[in-house]
């Protein structure tokens, strides 16, 4: 009976779905076991001769030499495949007894080109380098000839400003990227459908993307971090504190605080994600007061100070000079650009 096998001399060859992948030149050895093996060709004068085995690569017949192994019924030959390409290798043979070997077909892909990532976002309006106040949708493209979605490794973690984990498990980014049905192909460019790549939960995101192709070429890792903060602080959560007054008086629901000398004003607010960038404290002078100090107290822009213990707490302090009478209002701007304000119905009366 007729037997055959083929082997690779390169141990780096990898098989997937009955296709062989490697990164460089590879040799393929073929062995036929056949008692009536004959390399001669049929001619009009010799009907008993059998055709020589036919070996083709991409439908091109190869000029090969078969060698008998130690006088046995085993015969072997070897071909070398060189250069990046998709090779289809076929072997067929019929012996003297007209026993035909089924045409033996294998695919070999040589690929030494590393995959390339192209990651873009629809929202690129960042504040402070990487802070965003609106949803972001990522488009991920991989340029790769031998692509397998299951080997895409997308890792997305989310934390708040304290380092605590933000639950984004419902998004399923990693699983979405590994699902072949979520990718579309255009030649060697594969694009992940954007339906599952929306970032819409407030968090500090850390994203890494890795991929190794079927020939085991590895892409350069893609890594990024950005902050998504869509939440505007509630004005009721903004507190304004003053230094201790000599006396407070209420007149028609308005509180007047009387001070001797300068007045210290402290503003406090909590922010879970981006953090507060700065406060604007505005002092509005009451009518009838000496206008010479009005410009001094109009608006002060103060950098926010993060609490060393509770990372969600931000404060700023300001001094209202003596010889003042008016009200204080506060506007805060977080690092993503969200803003909120609070006005006080508290009249500061500061005398020298």
């Amino acid at each position: 009976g007729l037997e055959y096998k083929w082997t690779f001399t390169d141990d780096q060859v990898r098989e997937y779905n009955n296709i062989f992948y490697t990164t460089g030149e590879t040799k393929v050895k073929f062995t036929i076991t056949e008692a009536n093996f004959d390399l001669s060709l049929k001619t009009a004068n010799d009907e008993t001769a059998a055709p020589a085995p036919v070996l083709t690569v991409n439908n091109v017949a190869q000029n090969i030499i078969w060698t008998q192994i130690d006088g046995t019924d085993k015969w072997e030959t070897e071909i070398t495949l060189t250069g990046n390409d998709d090779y289809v290798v076929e072997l067929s043979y019929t012996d003297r007894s007209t026993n035909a070997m089924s045409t033996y077909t294998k695919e070999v892909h040589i690929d030494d080109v590393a995959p390339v990532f192209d990651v873009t976002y629809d929202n690129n309006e960042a504040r402070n380098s990487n802070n965003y106040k609106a949803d972001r949708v990522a488009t991920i493209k991989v340029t790769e000839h031998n692509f397998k979605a299951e080997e895409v490794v997308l890792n997305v973690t989310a934390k708040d400003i304290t380092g605590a984990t933000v639950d984004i498990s419902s998004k399923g980014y990693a699983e979405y990227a590994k699902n072949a049905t979520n990718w579309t192909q255009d030649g060697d460019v594969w694009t992940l459908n954007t339906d599952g790549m929306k970032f819409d939960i407030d968090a500090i995101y850390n994203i890494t993307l890795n991929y190794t192709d079927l020939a085991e070429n590895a892409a350069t890792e893609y890594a990024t971090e950005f902050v998504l903060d869509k939440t505007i602080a509630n004005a009721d959560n903004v507190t304004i504190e003053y230094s201790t007054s000599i006396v407070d008086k209420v007149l028609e629901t308005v509180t007047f605080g009387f001070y001797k000398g300068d007045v210290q004003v402290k503003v406090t607010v909590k922010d879970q994600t981006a953090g507060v960038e700065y406060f604007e404290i505005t002092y509005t002078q009451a009518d009838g007061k000496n206008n010479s100090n009005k410009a001094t107290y109009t608006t002060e822009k103060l950098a926010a100070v993060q609490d060393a213990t509770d990372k969600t707490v931000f404060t700023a302090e300001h001094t209202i000079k003596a010889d003042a009478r008016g009200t204080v209002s506060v506007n805060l701007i977080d690092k993503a650009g969200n803003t909120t304000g609070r006005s006080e119905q508290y009249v500061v009366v500061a005398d020298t």
Side-chain angles (χ1 to χ4, degrees):
L2 183 65
E3 297 179 5
Y4 60 88
K5 70 174 183 178
W6 82 341
T7 56
F8 288 95
T9 57
D10 178 4
D11 60 5
Q12 299 303 311
V13 174
R14 179 186 184 194
E15 183 179 6
Y16 175 71
N17 278 352
N18 208 32
I19 299 175
F20 296 87
Y21 299 87
T22 188
T23 58
E25 177 180 297
T26 188
K27 297 181 183 297
V28 187
K29 182 181 290 186
F30 300 87
T31 303
I32 291 179
T33 303
E34 167 56 45
N36 298 314
F37 191 73
D38 195 328
L39 300 179
S40 61
L41 297 175
K42 276 187 179 180
T43 66
N45 299 323
D46 185 2
E47 292 297 330
T48 63
V54 177
L55 180 62
T56 63
V57 176
N58 292 348
N59 295 318
V60 178
Q62 304 298 297
N63 184 17
I64 56 176
I65 298 176
W66 290 89
T67 303
Q68 189 175 22
I69 303 175
D70 299 329
T72 66
D73 292 340
K74 295 183 181 296
W75 296 76
E76 65 182 19
T77 193
E78 185 178 85
I79 62 169
T80 300
L81 302 177
T82 305
N84 287 356
D85 204 347
D86 299 341
Y87 297 96
V88 178
V89 181
E90 292 185 332
L91 176 64
S92 59
Y93 173 66
T94 302
D95 69 11
R96 284 181 177 273
S97 302
T98 68
N99 296 306
M101 177 182 75
S102 298
T103 300
Y104 189 67
T105 304
K106 287 292 182 183
E107 284 190 52
V108 182
H109 294 190
I110 296 179
D111 177 8
D112 65 2
V113 179
V116 176
F117 294 133
D118 178 19
V119 183
T120 58
Y121 298 86
D122 64 334
N123 173 14
N124 295 297
E125 296 182 4
R127 184 182 177 89
N128 291 302
S129 175
N130 67 340
N131 292 265
Y132 300 84
K133 65 177 183 179
D135 296 345
R136 302 190 84 197
V137 177
T139 298
I140 297 176
K141 294 184 178 183
V142 183
T143 300
E144 168 54 42
H145 185 65
N146 297 298
F147 182 74
K148 181 185 177 187
E150 293 91 329
E151 298 195 8
V152 173
V153 181
L154 175 62
N155 185 45
V156 181
T157 60
K159 297 183 182 299
D160 67 14
I161 200 168
T162 69
T165 298
V166 174
D167 185 9
I168 57 169
S169 57
S170 62
K171 308 302 289 186
Y173 297 114
E175 295 79 7
Y176 186 82
K178 285 184 177 292
N179 188 336
T181 62
N182 294 329
W183 293 84
T184 57
Q185 181 183 9
D186 182 9
D188 286 347
V189 178
W190 299 79
T191 303
L192 182 61
N193 298 335
T194 58
D195 296 347
M197 293 306 299
K198 185 176 184 178
F199 297 90
D200 54 6
I201 297 174
D202 280 11
I204 301 168
Y205 288 93
N206 185 279
I207 303 171
T208 59
L209 178 64
N210 287 278
Y211 177 71
T212 299
D213 69 16
L214 289 165
E216 300 192 341
N217 299 296
T220 299
E221 181 181 69
Y222 167 83
T224 193
E225 182 177 279
F226 65 84
V227 180
L228 178 63
D229 187 349
K230 304 183 294 179
T231 303
I232 301 173
N234 190 316
D236 293 338
N237 294 329
V238 180
T239 62
I240 304 175
E241 301 173 281
Y242 303 87
S243 52
T244 304
S245 63
I246 298 173
V247 64
D248 284 350
K249 291 185 178 181
V250 179
L251 180 62
E252 295 180 353
T253 72
V254 178
T255 300
F256 292 79
F258 293 87
Y259 297 83
K260 180 69 175 178
D262 298 344
V263 180
Q264 301 300 316
V265 182
K266 182 179 180 180
V267 185
T268 305
V269 72
K270 283 193 171 187
D271 191 299
Q272 291 289 133
T273 309
V276 178
E277 183 178 358
Y278 64 89
F279 294 90
E280 290 178 338
I281 296 182
T282 301
Y283 166 76
T284 303
Q285 187 166 277
D287 291 338
K289 188 61 185 171
N290 186 346
N291 287 328
S292 62
N293 292 328
K294 190 167 186 179
T296 304
Y297 297 126
T298 303
T299 298
E300 293 287 336
K301 181 177 178 180
L302 305 174
V305 178
Q306 187 177 30
D307 189 85
T309 302
D310 186 346
K311 300 296 185 181
T312 67
V313 174
F314 293 82
T315 60
E317 295 188 14
H318 178 61
T319 300
I320 297 177
K321 296 294 184 180
D323 195 22
R325 177 177 176 173
T327 57
V328 173
S329 61
V330 174
N331 192 44
L332 69 88
I333 295 86
D334 72 14
K335 291 183 179 180
N338 300 298
T339 182
T340 191
R342 176 170 179 169
S343 298
E344 286 271 278
Q345 294 301 311
Y346 181 82
V347 179
V348 174
V349 181
D351 288 330
T352 55

